Amino acid sequence: VQNLVLRDVTKVYRTGDLEVHALRGVDLEVAEGDFVAIMGPSGSGKSTLMHILGCLDIPSAGTYELGGLDVSQMTERSLAQVRNARIGFVFQQFNLLASMTALRNVELPLVYGGVPRQERRDRAAEALGRVGLGDRLDHRPNQLSGGQQQRVSVARALVTEPDLILADEPTGNLDSVATRDVLGLFQELHSAGHTVLLITHEADVAAQASRTVLIRDGRISTGEVA
Ligand code: ADP
Ligand code: ADP
């Protein structure tokens, strides 16, 4: 089963008279349960692709189906619903709220989803257990290491049971030990059946995925990297 399918996706940014063709006919299929790295140099279109895959933006032309749903021409309002219900985001900067405990941070997507309080707590605690932080529920981000903070944000991404986990340079802020730790966690999620998309400019990070897709000048060339 294909979890996501992009067909001939283009993205053009217009600033006054200037046009930038950030994506030029991208085709991409990712099967359910796949672990794919998207790799490319700066300016190649990675962020643009990530924004489209993450339903943060829509293509200028072409189609994007996520879990069988065509999201290519959705309004911002519908797109926001799809994003919250179907996608778990992990960012380079963790994006955790400093004033909240790990448990409260992980509960947040469920607050937006209208889940009742006790169920929220149970599910957030369970997600933190899954990332090995069952004994850190009441810690605030500044009481956790970088690798642990990123584990909290992975738990936050998991807690809604998303169709897709989208990680944008998730190890960019981590030392080599924490990097290995977090990449190991993504491999565990993959083994458990989650679909994981990892965006990176680092070859050794991309090599941890099951396959790598290369992007250059807004075009994709698929390479099988072991
Ligand atoms: P990467 O993430 O690989 O560095 P981007 O997707 O950010 O690449 O950028 C691809 C191209 O699109 C670049 O030439 C960039 O300058 C341009 N671009 C990105 N975002 C915008 C924007 N909002 N407005 C105009 N041009 C943009
Ligand atoms: P950048 O690509 O500029 O380094 P990030 O990777 O941190 O920025 O975030 C990518 C984009 O996703 C940004 O435009 C940011 O505003 C947006 N974003 C971050 N978190 C969320 C979220 N939870 N829901 C929707 N959009 C988000």
Side-chain angles (χ1 to χ4, degrees), residues 140-161:
R140 288 178 211 286
N142 69 4
Q143 298 171 314
L144 298 168
S145 72
Q148 288 174 330
Q149 289 181 59
Q150 195 59 305
R151 282 180 172 258
V152 174
S153 72
V154 171
R156 181 185 55 190
L158 282 174
V159 76
T160 57
E161 306 284 350

Side-chain angles (χ1 to χ4, degrees), residues 61-196:
T63 59
Y64 174 27
E65 277 186 26
L66 174 64
L69 184 70
D70 187 345
V71 297
S72 336
Q73 301 302 325
M74 278 191 173
T75 61
E76 174 49 39
R77 194 191 166 89
S78 307
L79 217 52
Q81 281 169 2
V82 171
R83 200 156 64 217
N84 290 330
R86 295 187 180 227
I87 302 173
F89 290 93
V90 179
F91 298 100
Q92 180 170 353
Q93 304 294 342
F94 317 142
N95 294 14
L96 298 172
L97 295 179
S99 63
M100 289 190 181
T101 64
L103 189 72
R104 297 284 289 155
N105 268 286
V106 175
E107 271 186 53
L108 273 183
L110 301 178
V111 174
Y112 303 136
V115 175
R117 175 181 300 211
Q118 190 57 51
E119 183 186 339
R120 261 180 3 228
R121 300 226 158 140
D122 293 345
R123 285 172 62 180
E126 197 264 338
L128 281 161
R130 267 198 276 171
V131 302
L133 292 177
D135 57 350
R136 295 287 190 280
L137 305 187
D138 295 326
H139 285 56
R140 288 178 211 286
N142 69 4
Q143 298 171 314
L144 298 168
S145 72
Q148 288 174 330
Q149 289 181 59
Q150 195 59 305
R151 282 180 172 258
V152 174
S153 72
V154 171
R156 181 185 55 190
L158 282 174
V159 76
T160 57
E161 306 284 350
D163 289 340
L164 173 65
I165 295 170
L166 195 53
D168 190 12
E169 302 280 3
T171 60
N173 237 4
L174 301 177
D175 64 28
S176 60
V177 172
T179 291
R180 244 175 306 165
D181 179 55
V182 165
L183 290 174
L185 180 58
F186 283 122
Q187 285 172 335
E188 283 172 32
L189 296 179
H190 167 55
S191 302
H194 290 280
T195 310
V196 181

